[in-house]
Amino acid sequence: MQSITILGATGSIGKSTLAVISEHPQRFNLFAVTAHANVAEMLSICARFNPTYAVMVDEQAGIALRQQLLEQRSSTAVLIGPAALLDVASASEVDTVMAAIVGAAGLLPTLAAVNAGKRILLANKEALVMSGQLFMDAVARSGAELLPIDSEHNAIFQCLPTAAQQALGQADLAAHGVSKILLTGSGGPFRELPLAELAQQTPAAACAHPNWSMGQKISVDSATMLNKGLEYIEARWLFNCQREQLEVVVHPQSVIHSMVSFTDGSVIAQLGQPDMRTPIAYGLSYPTRISSGVAALDFSQLSQLTFSTAEAARYPCLALAIEACWQGQAATTMLNAANEIAVEAFLGTQIGFTAIAEICDRVLNEIAVIPVSSIDDVIAIDQQARQVAQRWVEHYRLC
């Protein structure tokens, strides 16, 4: 029986992980769940799964959860604060850690799990976007097992030869016959919108993804395709890609989750319903497979599968991410930080939709790309970029 910690249990990935675990109670034991401040969701999770620990980052939320669990005579112990995330990610009792905290907040607890040599189901793409080579070096040193959970990276992983799967971050793709990795993306809700109308789009419109049910932050990132840009950066590190070996393709139906093109002309694709339970189940059971609760595709119901290139004019955030990927670690750390600040401001209706890309661009142009040699360097650059981004948010807000 695997003992599991879920970092970010109340988000969409966390909920899907719990759904898969509930299908296989004989295989998985829930050691710990974490959340930022969602007391109601955590109460429900604790009542159903009875984890050993529940971690709340927000102090007041943690106090409230502790009191309510005591009233319910729950045996789940409540831990409070960011340090507790590291504790439950690295605890000796834990075999597998689902890293599903959204954004930069997930970096340190994910690294704690890596350094403790756990099996890491990586759904927090920002960990690699922010720390790249440092993260992959830590995996190699600790002997941790890294399995990608984002649907696109999980698809690529499934399409690769076993030898390449077992050498993440170090595999020579060409030596394994791989010519190119093709990351697919739906294009988001504004794929066919006239460009002149993008600036007027609301948070509600940006969060109305046509295929996937996701949180607000990742939904906005999908609308700008910055999410695909972050996945591009993540793929570079996971699969040790060169620039010519990595490409983004718009695929509106979200049926093909990504593809691998081989030197003999073959292309292997992974297909499935747009449901995160599939890659989560694969990560939990790798190298075998278990039921995810997701129905197989009915090919008689698929009317078409279409593909196109991603226009830079429509998706400037994607173009920024691709360029930042090859400029250096500091550039991708800055981009991620600036985007988090800009998206938060957009969701709070402080800035318009197109200002997200403009703020990210301004931050990348304002701060010099310097060498990064430690996680402390990463955190310092992240904080600097957030301060500059916040200043630009105020500028756009007052305009």
Side-chain angles (χ1 to χ4, degrees), residues 225 247-250 307-312 315 318:
M225 279 196 83
E247 182 180 338
V248 173
V249 178
V250 175
F307 308 90
S308 63
T309 57
E311 313 164 67
Y315 304 114
L318 173 61

Side-chain angles (χ1 to χ4, degrees), residues 19 58 65 69 101 136 156 206 214 217 225 270 306-307 320 329 332 340 369 378 395:
D58 181 81
L65 178 65
L69 286 176
I101 295 175
M136 297 308 297
I156 294 161
M214 305 179 292
K217 162 65 165 57
M225 279 196 83
Q270 190 267 338
T306 60
F307 308 90
L320 287 173
Q329 185 61 68
T332 59
E340 287 191 14
V369 176
V378 169
H395 170 82

Side-chain angles (χ1 to χ4, degrees), residues 153 263 282 328 347:
H153 303 94
T263 51
Y282 185 70
L347 289 169

Side-chain angles (χ1 to χ4, degrees), residues 192-206:
E192 297 181 344
L193 191 75
L195 293 178
E197 297 180 20
L198 283 174
Q200 287 74 49
Q201 297 310 303
T202 65

